[in-house]
Amino acid sequence: MDQLIRAIEMPYKKEWPKLAIGDHVKVITAVVEGGKEREQLFEGWVIAMSGSEGGRTFTVRKISHNAIGVEKIFPFSCPTVKSIKVVAHGKVRKAKLYYIRALKGKKARIKEKREIKK
Amino acid sequence: MKALIGKKIGMTMIYKDGIAVPVTVVKAGPCVVVQKKNDKTDGYNAIQIGFEDISSKHTNKPMEGHFKKAGIKSQRYLKEVRLDNIDDYKIGQVVDVSVFEEGELIDVSAKTKGKGFQGAVKRWNFRGHDRTHGTKYPRHGSTGMHTYPGRVLKGTKMAGHMGDVNRTILNLEVVKVDKDNSLLAVKGALPGARGSLVYLRTAVREGK
């Protein structure tokens, strides 16, 4: 039965780079304003992923002006999501980084995961 | 009137003009016309459609004869569809999902999930009583009046068996038709559990 549901979802499936929790990402979405379409950038850290298959989403959190936290939930299969770019991987130990909402300033940073070059 | 028998597969989310639409996926048909009933011999016009081929091993003798007469394989499910004009259909004709178009409105009937014996609060949305101050649990209050009428009126809403009844949802939009897999994506939720039998037909009260 699941295969039949996947068959309906197929046309909306997109290929994206593999995201991980704590990743620093740049998401470009298409926004229609006044009849014209333009691109909008949202840059932040992936703090959560939920759902499965066609309903899978990821939450990106950024710190806006005046240190106000802004979160946006993007479905992976949403046609208005034009591109997802991973800038850096984060060094995190949890699957959901909701604790970061309560933190401010230097404590609210996510350490970058550096790969050891051989 | 266009009609199909199908099975509920499950729910998902698809996109239409950039907007997410909640849909239920239904495996509908292909159905086959088993019998035609006409005004002259039966008193009304209708076609009988069958869904899912089965081995004649699983059909009893009278039913086997019924399918043999039509010259088709035995069917697991049968359903009659009342029509004004049955000339468009031939016995043995296959009806599949392509009869429905995207954007069309349909009615869907199915048996709801059985909930067992339920209290009046869940079954009839009664408000119930306080959970504290000496009460046992939220339940319905009085069910009648006084010396007159001296009895509980028939049909009074009380606790009892809930669910497992036929329900029809009117005017659901067909969002997507997948002919290769004979699938329909219908906007919104449908009654019944996944895998249960559903009956789809053209909306009878469209625009009313």
Side-chain angles (χ1 to χ4, degrees), chain B residues 80-97:
Chain B
E80 220 169 75
V81 188
R82 289 286 280 264
L83 294 172
D84 293 330
N85 188 7
I86 54 167
D87 298 335
D88 302 341
Y89 294 94
K90 282 192 289 253
I91 286 173
Q93 185 184 335
V94 174
V95 188
D96 65 2
V97 280

Side-chain angles (χ1 to χ4, degrees), chain B residues 145-157:
Chain B
M145 294 69 122
H146 205 250
T147 316
Y148 178 80
R151 63 194 169 89
V152 176
L153 297 178
K154 274 189 176 175
T156 301
K157 289 171 179 174

Side-chain angles (χ1 to χ4, degrees), chain A residues 1 4 7 9 12 75 77 79, chain B residues 9 12 14-15 25 176 181 183:
Chain A
M1 287 212 296
L4 296 173
E9 289 168 354
Y12 306 96
S77 57
Chain B
I9 302 295
T12 183
I14 61 175
Y15 297 88
V25 181
K176 209 171 158 64
N181 298 306
L183 295 178

Side-chain angles (χ1 to χ4, degrees), chain B residues 1-181:
Chain B
M1 172 75 79
K2 295 175 282 189
L4 281 178
I5 308 170
K7 270 187 175 172
K8 178 170 164 177
I9 302 295
M11 289 195 75
T12 183
M13 179 164 90
I14 61 175
Y15 297 88
K16 208 177 152 190
D17 308 326
I19 292 165
V21 184
V23 293
T24 310
V25 181
V26 177
K27 182 164 172 51
C31 294
V32 59
V33 179
V34 182
Q35 194 188 7
K36 276 166 81 171
K37 296 196 169 183
N38 59 48
D39 216 2
K40 229 177 196 175
T41 54
D42 307 285
Y44 60 97
N45 286 330
I47 56 164
Q48 189 185 59
I49 52 172
F51 175 54
E52 268 189 15
D53 291 351
I54 48 167
S55 158
S56 58
K57 190 169 81 178
H58 299 295
T59 14
N60 58 25
K61 281 275 161 60
M63 286 313 288
E64 209 180 316
H66 182 62
F67 294 120
K68 219 171 181 180
K69 201 176 158 191
I72 52 163
K73 273 188 179 169
S74 297
Q75 304 289 310
R76 195 186 298 277
Y77 306 107
L78 291 174
K79 181 93 191 169
E80 220 169 75
V81 188
R82 289 286 280 264
L83 294 172
D84 293 330
N85 188 7
I86 54 167
D87 298 335
D88 302 341
Y89 294 94
K90 282 192 289 253
I91 286 173
Q93 185 184 335
V94 174
V95 188
D96 65 2
V97 280
S98 56
V99 293
F100 293 118
E101 288 163 32
E102 283 171 19
E104 196 178 340
L105 293 181
I106 59 168
D107 297 340
V108 181
S109 306
K111 207 166 224 187
T112 58
K113 278 183 186 173
K115 307 277 182 196
F117 192 101
Q118 292 298 333
V121 175
K122 186 184 172 103
R123 195 174 177 216
W124 299 110
N125 297 327
F126 280 13
R127 281 176 63 183
H129 291 253
D130 291 345
R131 279 180 177 273
T132 56
H133 301 296
T135 54
K136 206 171 174 190
Y137 41 75
R139 50 187 166 183
H140 65 73
S142 167
T143 55
M145 294 69 122
H146 205 250
T147 316
Y148 178 80
R151 63 194 169 89
V152 176
L153 297 178
K154 274 189 176 175
T156 301
K157 289 171 179 174
M158 286 193 257
H161 190 274
M162 186 183 171
D164 200 24
V165 287
N166 277 317
R167 284 278 180 269
T168 305
I169 314 289
L170 301 174
N171 299 333
L172 293 171
E173 190 192 332
V174 176
V175 185
K176 209 171 158 64
V177 179
D178 183 352
K179 197 169 176 261
D180 299 337
N181 298 306

Side-chain angles (χ1 to χ4, degrees), chain A residues 89 91 112-118:
Chain A
H89 295 294
K91 198 175 169 187
E112 193 183 321
K113 192 161 134 193
R114 304 234 170 178
E115 298 207 358
I116 303 152
K117 276 178 189 164
K118 279 175 187 170

